[in-house]
Amino acid sequence: MNLNATLIAQLVVFFILAWVTMKFVWPPIVKALDERAKKIADGLAAADKAKADLSHAEKKVVEELRKARESAGDVRASAEKQAAKFLDDARAEAARIVALAREAAQGEAAVAAQRAKETLRDQVANLAVAGAERILRREINAQVHADLLANLKQELQ
Amino acid sequence: MATEAPTSGEYIVHHLTHMNSTGHKQAAVIDWSVWNLDTLFFSILLGVVTLFFLIRAANKATSGVPGRFQAAVEILFEMVADQAKGIVHSAESRKFVAPVALTVFVWIFLMNSMDFLPVDLLPRIWAAITGDSHAYLRVVPTADLNGTLGMSIGVLLICLYYNVKIKGFSGWVHELFTAPFGGHPLLYPVNFLMQMIEFLAKTISHGMRLFGNMYAGELIFMLIALLGGTATVFGFLGHIVAGSIWAVFHILIVALQAFIFMMLTLVYIGQAHESH
């Protein structure tokens, strides 16, 4: 337990070691640890952001789906409406055509009936003339009695 | 090798004598012309080992996933950095003070750990190398008062430096005379005396605490070795049992004393930053 010059030497060694540690040991470790802390913080922030993005995207997807469903419903409704309108139009057109055809047929039928009546009238007149000829047993001058015959035809109408 | 077995007293005295520059036991209590070569050798060697490991860890330190060695050094680093942050409040000072604390802790831990080597191992090897069976060698630098007081005086110098740096020279002198009792002129001498006693007591107790623990630990290892040296069944078993128990207990002391020295270093430097 004696004191000697070792004490001074130890004092110097102490400062040399402390200086070297301060210069070459402490700063790199501080740097590495700070960098890692920053990395971890960044990583956590990125994870949080990703999570937020994901939930945002999910919300957006739900929204888009809802919109798509809505617009699909709209499209279907309008298509149905249009189809119904087409159907109605077609029905109306068909009814119109049918009515026209019926009218035309009726007109034609009326003309034909008129013509048949006239023909019949002519034939009846001729028959009446022929009958009268036979009755009178003599020829009637057609020209002389044309007026008479026309009147007769008129009456038969 | 000793030709005749030494007595217990001779064995202990031999083991407690330094290999110094004179070659024989130092006569005067204080003699500044003598160097303890063994203390110097082992403390510088372990200082180099300390720096080697720390610099290796520092160079390999990456911000990526740390390996086990790096993680271990980082745990140590964080422990010291946290303590420094809690005690020394100036971030500027911590740039120097925290590395000092780390160095002190690792270095003292290694120097204390020299106690775990069998007490006769290195002295016997040294005796064989020199061919002198009475060659002195002490392997625990912290069991040498010169070693521990050298470090505690280093801490004192750092404290004085920060006292002047933080408070200014006149501010510090003013504090020396007015604290702790007050600014009355009659109290100046009392204050100054008190301050001097405080600095002296801090430094001496700082160095003595470590020295005392390691010296006592080393001495007990020697006594246990003496027990084994009786070459009886009782001595042999006693050596094994007591040696094991003391070695396990000494692990605590080695780590604890290194930690205490580091903490007191921080506390004393922290006090130098505070105005009374």
Side-chain angles (χ1 to χ4, degrees), chain B residues 171-210:
Chain B
W172 180 52
V173 171
H174 179 256
E175 186 184 292
L176 282 181
F177 285 96
T178 56
F181 296 121
H184 194 279
L186 275 179
L187 292 171
Y188 283 176
V190 187
N191 285 330
F192 185 72
L193 194 68
M194 201 62 193
Q195 292 270 359
M196 288 304 109
I197 290 172
E198 202 180 319
F199 276 119
L200 201 66
K202 273 191 212 171
T203 302
I204 303 242
S205 68
H206 198 192
M208 280 283 195
R209 177 180 299 106
L210 178 60

Side-chain angles (χ1 to χ4, degrees), chain A residues 1-7 9-11 13-15 17-18 21-22 24-26 28-30 32-33 35-36 39, chain B residues 26 29-32 34 36 40 43 51 58 62-64 70 74 77-78 95-96 98 103-104 107 146-147 150 154:
Chain A
M1 215 182 82
N2 306 307
L3 288 180
N4 57 37
T6 312
L7 192 152
Q10 186 81 353
L11 179 61
V13 172
F14 171 80
F15 278 109
L17 293 186
T21 307
M22 177 186 76
F24 301 108
V25 174
W26 199 263
I29 297 181
V30 168
L33 291 185
E35 261 171 25
R36 188 180 312 148
K39 247 186 206 175
Chain B
Q26 185 178 331
V29 173
I30 299 176
D31 184 348
W32 297 113
V34 179
N36 287 342
L40 284 177
S43 64
L51 290 182
T62 65
S63 55
Q70 195 193 333
E74 281 174 10
F77 175 92
E78 288 283 350
K95 281 183 187 164
F96 175 61
T103 312
V104 155
W107 190 30
N146 291 296

Side-chain angles (χ1 to χ4, degrees), chain B residues 34-158:
Chain B
V34 179
W35 304 81
N36 287 342
L37 300 177
D38 46 5
T39 298
L40 284 177
F41 175 76
F42 284 110
S43 64
I44 291 171
L45 175 74
L46 292 169
V48 169
V49 169
T50 303
L51 290 182
F52 174 73
F53 275 110
L54 290 180
I55 288 175
R56 226 169 89 94
N59 288 341
K60 280 182 20 183
T62 65
S63 55
V65 178
R68 283 184 173 180
F69 174 64
Q70 195 193 333
V73 173
E74 281 174 10
I75 289 170
L76 192 65
F77 175 92
E78 288 283 350
M79 186 271 285
V80 175
D82 280 352
Q83 298 290 0
K85 203 171 281 180
I87 296 170
V88 180
H89 299 300
S90 157
E92 181 59 32
S93 300
R94 276 206 302 274
K95 281 183 187 164
F96 175 61
V97 173
V100 169
L102 180 66
T103 312
V104 155
F105 180 75
V106 179
W107 190 30
I108 292 179
F109 186 87
L110 289 180
M111 289 195 289
N112 289 353
S113 299
M114 292 300 286
D115 246 355
F116 294 130
L117 295 174
V119 282
D120 278 312
L121 180 64
L122 292 179
R124 277 294 165 95
I125 292 172
W126 179 240
I129 291 171
T130 56
D132 174 10
S133 62
H134 291 292
Y136 297 118
L137 185 72
R138 288 186 64 187
V139 299
V140 188
T142 44
D144 178 358
L145 191 56
N146 291 296
T148 59
L149 273 186
M151 291 185 290
S152 67
I153 289 172
V155 173
L156 174 71
L157 292 181
I158 296 174

Side-chain angles (χ1 to χ4, degrees), chain A residues 17-71:
Chain A
L17 293 186
W19 181 81
V20 173
T21 307
M22 177 186 76
K23 211 75 189 162
F24 301 108
V25 174
W26 199 263
I29 297 181
V30 168
K31 194 165 149 279
L33 291 185
D34 286 354
E35 261 171 25
R36 188 180 312 148
K38 196 179 164 297
K39 247 186 206 175
I40 291 172
D42 287 353
L44 289 178
D48 279 353
K49 193 176 164 295
K51 214 183 273 173
D53 284 355
L54 181 64
S55 79
H56 181 73
E58 270 170 359
K59 227 176 267 170
K60 209 168 172 187
V61 164
V62 169
E63 177 71 8
E64 288 295 322
L65 269 178
R66 197 181 58 73
K67 265 190 205 158
R69 211 169 282 142
E70 247 168 39
S71 80

Side-chain angles (χ1 to χ4, degrees), chain A residues 101-114:
Chain A
R102 187 178 295 148
E103 216 169 278
Q106 275 173 352
E108 256 167 50
V111 169
Q114 186 68 24

